[in-house]
Every structure is written in C-alpha cells, then in structure tokens.
Amino acid sequence: MSSVNGVTRRLPDVTWCGLFEQRARRSPDRVCLVADEVPWTFHELDLWGDRLARSLQDAGASPGTVVACAMTRSVRAMLGVLAVAKAGAVHLPVDPALPAARIDAILADARPAVVLTDVARLRHRADVVLSTEAWKAELAGYAGHRPPGDVAGPAYLIYTSGSTGLPKGVLVGHRSLVNLYGELASAFFPAGRGPQRVAHGLPLVFDASWNPLLWMAGGHELHLLPDPVRADPGSYVDFVREHRLSVVEAVPAQMSALLEAGLLDGRSRPRTLLMGGEAVGRDLWAQLRGAAGVTAVNLYGPTECTVFTTACRLDDRATPSIGRPIGNTTAQVVDEHLRPVPVGEPGELVIGGSCLALGYPGRPELTADRFVTTGERRYRTGDRCRLTADGHLEWLGRLDDQVKIRGHRVEPGEVEQALLASPGVRQAVVRAEGSEPRLVAYVVLDTGSVTTLRERLRAVLPSYLLPSAVIPLDAMPLGPTGKIDRAALKPPVAVRRTIVLTSTQELVAAAFRVQLEIPAVDADSDFFDLGGHSLSAAALAARLRARGVPCSLRDVLLRRTVARLAELVPVTEKGRTP
C-alpha cells in the first residue's frame, strides 16, 4: 500500500506564541532578532509584543477575531505577528504593495476586526497605525498581559490564488504550527550544535515565512533581510557573509541565483540550505547534493498543510524527491476514488494528521471537497505523486492546471476571470508555458488594445499573476464539442521581419533571449513586459556582467528595454563590444 507515516510526537499544550514566551523567560538577554541592523533581545521583543497586543485589544482585537497586518519589512512586522498571537487573534498578512483592488477584496472577505499598518497610503484603512518615526512612543503607554491563547484555535489566515477570480483564505491553527515547530526542533535545530543565525529572506506574506519565526522561537538569531538586499542575489550573498548566517531558505529559482552569485564560494558559507515553494530541478539537486559541508533539504507542503509536510535531505537521494512526512503526519497516494494505489504507481497525494489547516472560512463546500473524511480527515493536494520502494515520495506534477510561479501558488483561472471582467474582452484563456513556468494569456478583443488591457491588469492583480504575454486572436480554436480547444492554442504566425540592432543592442538582446527563453526581441522590447520579474532581472544583470557589461539589478529595473540597457555596454576604441 502506498502510504507512509511520520514519527508520532507528543505536542506541548501551548500556542506558538507560548513557545516564544517560554524562550524569552529562559534566555531574556539573548539576541533573537536583527532588523535594520538593530539587535533585539528576547525580553525586548516580548515586552513590546505585549504592549502592541494591548493596543490591538483596545482597537477591537479579541480571541478568534482577525487582525490584518499590512506592514513594511521591518521589526514592526515581526512585532505585529507576535502581538496578534498575544491578543489571541488571527494574523492576516497583507502585502501593502498589492493593488488597492486586491487589498479591498482580501479585507472584504476576511472582515478583520482591526487593520494594523505602517504604510502611509493605507492609514485611512487602519485601526492602528505604527508610524516609522514614532511607533514606540505610540505604544509606550500600554502595559499588561493578554488572555491565554487557545491552543486548539486558529493562528493565521493566508490568501492564495483562487480559480473563481477571487483570492481564497486558508485558516491554520496553533496546533499545526506547534507541530511544525516540533519537527524543526527535532530534525533541523540540532544540526548547528547550538544557536544559529538564520536568514529571513522570504516574503512576509508567504506561509513559509513562519519557518524562520519558529527558528527564532527555538532560541536562534533571526536576521531580517531588507527588500533591496533580498531582491538582488549579489547583495543577498554579501549579507549572508557579513552577518555569518548559517541557515538560508529560498525558493529553488532564488537558490539557483544565490549559488550563481557565489553563496557557497569560500569558507564563509551557510551550513543549512532549505528549499520549498516549487519543484527542484535535477541540475540544482545535483549541484547542492555535491556541495561539501552543506546540508540541503527539499521541503514540500501546500498552504493547507502548514508550510511544509514532507522533507528530503538531498544527500539521501540521487534524484529529486519530496521525501517523507514530518512528525504526526500521514501521506498516501490514491486513485480518483481515494483508494490506495500500489507502490510505484502514480496517483493523487492525500495528507492527514496534525499539519492540516482548519479549512476555507466562508466556503464550506470547498472545505468539504478538499478536506475529506474517510476514516480520518485528509487533504486532497491535487499533486500527482508516487511512493518509491524505499518509502520516499516523488512529485510528478499537478492533476489540474495550478502552477507555482516564483513560489506563489497560481490558479490561471483567476487571471482569466480578471481578463473577462475587463471591458472589450470577449474571450480569454490563460495557460502556464515554458520550462520556467510563465503565464500566457490568449484573448479575443471586441474593443481596446493589449496595451490598455495590460494597464488594467496591473491595477487589479499582484505582479506574480500578470501574464508574461497577452496574445490577441481573431477567434479561439474550438474542439468537436464547441468548447475552446486549449491544446490548440498557439501564437499566430508572425510576419517575418528583419530586426536591425546595433552591436551593443545585439549583446543585450542575446541575454534577453536566453534569460526569457524567447526567439526574438527588438530594441524597444521591455524585459518585464516580456515576462521578466525581480529574480530573472537579477539573473539578467549577472549574465550581462559576465559579458563585461557593468549592469546591476537597479539598472535592469530602471532601464527596462534593450536599447536603454545597451547604453551601458562599453565600446572599445575600434567600436567593438566586449
């Protein structure tokens, strides 16, 4: 039978916040967080967390209510997570950089009792405002403690892409977080033989950002990377070396960029590398598996199963695997009727145990569909997997069209709904294409243009949901039943034309073509309109530097086109490019 169980582990009867408070009592003077180059001890963070919790309570937060935190990347964001837990409330992270319409949709669905922010443009939405200059003064008058948290209650609410066109919330409980802490404490913390310095370079709105927070609760020193640093692989590597960080976690695409930037060069290198959020390719697996003095681990888990559900050390397997279940967790590969399939046969992965989320608030039908009860409560992941003879799970792809893009879980249907809601769009289909998945939209327009359509999408969708290409068609291909034949979709044959580029422009254009995996670009081609993003922009800058062009990530962000970037290419006395 293709099932495998994690070890059974007794969980402490406490919330994740209680774990932090226990640590603060044992080691009050130890540094637990470094943010903006300012160290914070466990006692200091615990004290300010209590004071902010009282402020949230005065604003309306109470056990079980939702507190939305739209925070910049600073110590205030860390305090927000802690204070919400101390108030007994449910933490809802909101990216303040999201389009206003997206924020409105999330807040309308979650109906938070309190909105906490330190962002000027969101002050009118907030019940508690933490200003950059005076946030300590605003809280200094508060003291006192919060009611004890409900160890069986909800801890956080996080929104993912939804196929209906609206993001959907996933509610996760304290017991699941404490179970995850138990796995980290048992399998990961001992590797450093003492307190470790942990990089927090993950987006604060990722559920994976709980991993570094739980490291901190375990007595380790957490270093919050500023946004400009975490977006540039070279700066990230410099930060790791300067602060002597021993634990780094990133999505595989970013990990590849960090390795290319020299993360493992020299003696000063992290000891533990953690990857999750998307599949690890064979090349990256082999590269990290062969790295001396480094423990690399692949982490797998849907949002509904609390950050990560299975783990695999790369030195345990020669080829990519998602490994075995964590403690108090079961994994089984089943057919479409939820019957176990034989070992080695592919099927859908279903997960059970302490890791499971509480469900989708306000969506009982969806909760019942995905969280099934057949003997025990289990989550249908929608992932196609198989169990090998040695008890390891291998990920084989999705059973639906959901994809991971830069670590974000993306439903192409959500983008389709946004397109169909746009004026002038008669039909729309969105697919993930390419070896590094990118969204491509095919549209039939009654009125308007692709340019105006892109502008509308930027106003309503986060950057990771924006299509890399929007391709207008005269009509959609239809199958025998009259439905759109998605498999037949392809860009229209372009009229062959000659693209004339200077030698400097051709050097940059070649880098565009390789980085974006596209056949042709011209002088006015915009890197980001062609599907580039912050990680690939950093990789493009590195690719150009390798060709002798003094190009930084900032240059790519500001000089988005081939022609503008070509201005950076040095020219020799004979007029030749490097």
Side-chain angles (χ1 to χ4, degrees):
M1 184 181 296
S2 53
S3 62
V4 59
N5 300 336
V7 299
T8 301
R9 185 177 295 126
R10 183 178 179 182
L11 300 180
D13 195 26
V14 66
T15 65
W16 85 267
C17 175
L19 293 169
F20 178 87
E21 291 170 336
Q22 291 173 1
R23 183 67 58 180
R25 288 192 292 270
R26 289 197 297 268
S27 310
D29 298 324
R30 182 187 298 172
V31 172
C32 69
L33 174 69
V34 179
D36 298 321
E37 301 300 326
V38 177
W40 291 75
T41 67
F42 279 99
H43 171 72
E44 289 170 332
L45 208 63
D46 191 46
L47 174 65
W48 287 107
D50 278 338
R51 291 178 175 177
L52 179 54
R54 179 62 182 272
S55 180
L56 294 175
Q57 289 167 341
D58 288 349
S62 60
T65 62
V66 174
V67 175
C69 295
M71 308 291 284
T72 57
R73 196 174 181 84
S74 68
V75 65
R76 296 182 297 280
M78 300 296 99
L79 278 172
V81 182
L82 185 60
V84 171
K86 285 175 173 286
V90 181
H91 180 258
L92 166 61
V94 177
D95 183 356
L98 287 175
R102 184 79 170 188
I103 294 177
D104 287 342
I106 291 173
L107 296 183
D109 190 70
R111 292 170 293 178
V114 178
V115 177
L116 172 70
T117 191
D118 61 351
V119 179
R121 77 180 180 94
L122 299 177
R123 292 177 71 97
H124 67 286
R125 304 169 186 258
D127 301 281
V128 179
V129 177
L130 299 182
S131 67
T132 301
E133 299 81 11
W135 68 277
K136 282 191 177 182
E138 292 179 19
L139 301 176
Y142 295 104
H145 212 58
R146 81 278 171 250
D150 180 4
V151 298
Y156 67 89
L157 176 65
I158 198 159
Y159 277 75
T160 66
S161 179
S163 59
T164 62
L166 294 173
K168 63 177 182 290
V170 180
L171 189 63
V172 177
H174 280 284
R175 297 301 284 170
S176 296
L177 274 180
V178 172
N179 187 67
L180 181 63
Y181 174 89
E183 181 69 18
L184 290 169
S186 174
F188 293 82
F189 294 170
R193 297 177 296 278
Q196 301 179 62
R197 295 186 171 195
V198 181
H200 190 342
L202 300 168
L204 298 181
V205 294
F206 263 21
D207 62 337
S209 69
W210 280 99
N211 269 351
L213 286 174
L214 294 178
W215 278 82
M216 182 175 68
H220 303 279
E221 184 176 302
L222 184 62
H223 287 250
L224 188 67
L225 276 70
D227 273 323
V229 171
R230 57 178 291 272
D232 178 49
S235 300
Y236 195 130
V237 170
D238 290 343
F239 189 97
V240 169
R241 288 174 178 161
E242 178 184 350
H243 295 83
R244 305 191 309 280
L245 305 186
S246 57
V247 180
V248 171
E249 181 172 359
V251 297
Q254 185 179 29
M255 188 65 75
S256 294
L258 294 177
L259 294 176
E260 189 174 339
L263 181 65
L264 299 184
D265 295 347
R267 292 185 176 181
S268 180
R269 56 166 60 182
R271 292 192 296 265
T272 302
L273 299 180
L274 308 176
M275 294 177 294
E278 60 191 23
V280 181
R282 286 178 175 268
D283 290 347
L284 179 58
W285 189 279
Q287 183 179 4
L288 287 176
R289 190 169 184 266
V294 174
T295 298
V297 186
N298 184 29
L299 308 176
Y300 161 86
T303 301
E304 290 84 351
C305 298
T306 315
V307 186
F308 73 89
T309 307
T310 68
C312 182
R313 285 180 50 140
L314 271 62
D315 53 11
D316 286 344
R317 296 275 296 179
T319 56
S321 167
I322 60 173
R324 300 171 181 269
I326 66 171
N328 300 324
T329 299
T330 64
Q332 190 172 52
V333 183
V334 300
D335 63 17
E336 63 271 23
H337 302 294
L338 300 180
R339 298 174 302 200
V341 301
V343 171
E345 292 294 320
E348 181 180 8
L349 180 65
V350 294
I351 301 293
S354 299
C355 66
L356 293 189
L358 302 176
Y360 306 104
R363 293 171 171 80
E365 297 84 2
L366 181 61
T367 300
D369 178 62
R370 303 311 300 175
F371 293 88
V372 296
T373 302
T374 51
E376 65 168 328
R377 185 169 180 261
R378 298 184 295 172
Y379 174 69
R380 299 185 61 171
T381 66
D383 285 325
R384 189 168 179 265
C385 296
R386 66 169 164 240
L387 182 66
T388 61
D390 61 358
H392 282 75
L393 291 160
E394 292 181 348
W395 187 81
L396 305 175
R398 290 289 301 173
L399 294 169
D400 54 23
D401 59 354
Q402 185 187 102
V403 293
K404 284 289 187 78
I405 295 181
R406 307 196 302 278
H408 294 272
R409 190 167 76 182
V410 169
E411 295 274 6
E414 180 170 4
V415 188
E416 287 184 11
Q417 293 296 324
L419 286 166
L420 292 170
S422 301
V425 177
R426 189 196 318 164
Q427 292 177 301
V429 171
V430 178
R431 299 190 314 188
E433 300 181 359
S435 58
E436 181 182 336
R438 63 188 189 120
L439 295 178
V440 177
Y442 298 85
V443 297
V444 177
L445 299 177
D446 286 329
T447 61
S449 65
V450 168
T451 299
T452 57
L453 186 57
R454 280 187 174 279
E455 291 173 356
R456 174 174 171 78
L457 291 180
R458 288 193 184 99
V460 297
L461 294 176
S463 60
Y464 61 87
L465 281 178
L466 295 175
S468 299
V470 178
I471 300 173
L473 301 175
D474 293 330
M476 292 286 182
L478 302 179
T481 63
K483 295 182 178 180
I484 295 174
D485 185 354
R486 291 172 177 257
L489 283 169
K490 57 184 178 180
V493 177
V495 177
R496 186 178 297 275
R497 63 188 180 92
T498 302
I499 299 176
V500 179
L501 298 173
T502 67
S503 58
T504 58
Q505 291 171 350
E506 175 53 38
L507 187 151
V508 175
F512 270 49
R513 293 193 297 267
V514 173
Q515 188 63 48
L516 297 173
E517 299 180 358
I518 54 179
V521 294
D522 57 30
D524 295 325
S525 294
D526 184 301
F527 183 77
F528 295 93
D529 283 347
L530 293 173
H533 49 77
S534 58
L535 286 179
S536 58
L540 177 70
R543 192 178 298 279
L544 289 172
R545 287 196 299 272
R547 294 294 307 274
V549 182
C551 180
S552 66
L553 172 63
R554 178 178 173 81
D555 289 322
V556 179
L557 296 176
L558 295 178
R559 300 169 172 265
R560 302 162 60 107
T561 67
V562 170
R564 291 294 312 283
L565 283 168
E567 295 170 1
L568 300 175
V569 179
V571 180
T572 65
E573 293 181 1
K574 294 183 179 181
R576 296 180 179 176
T577 57

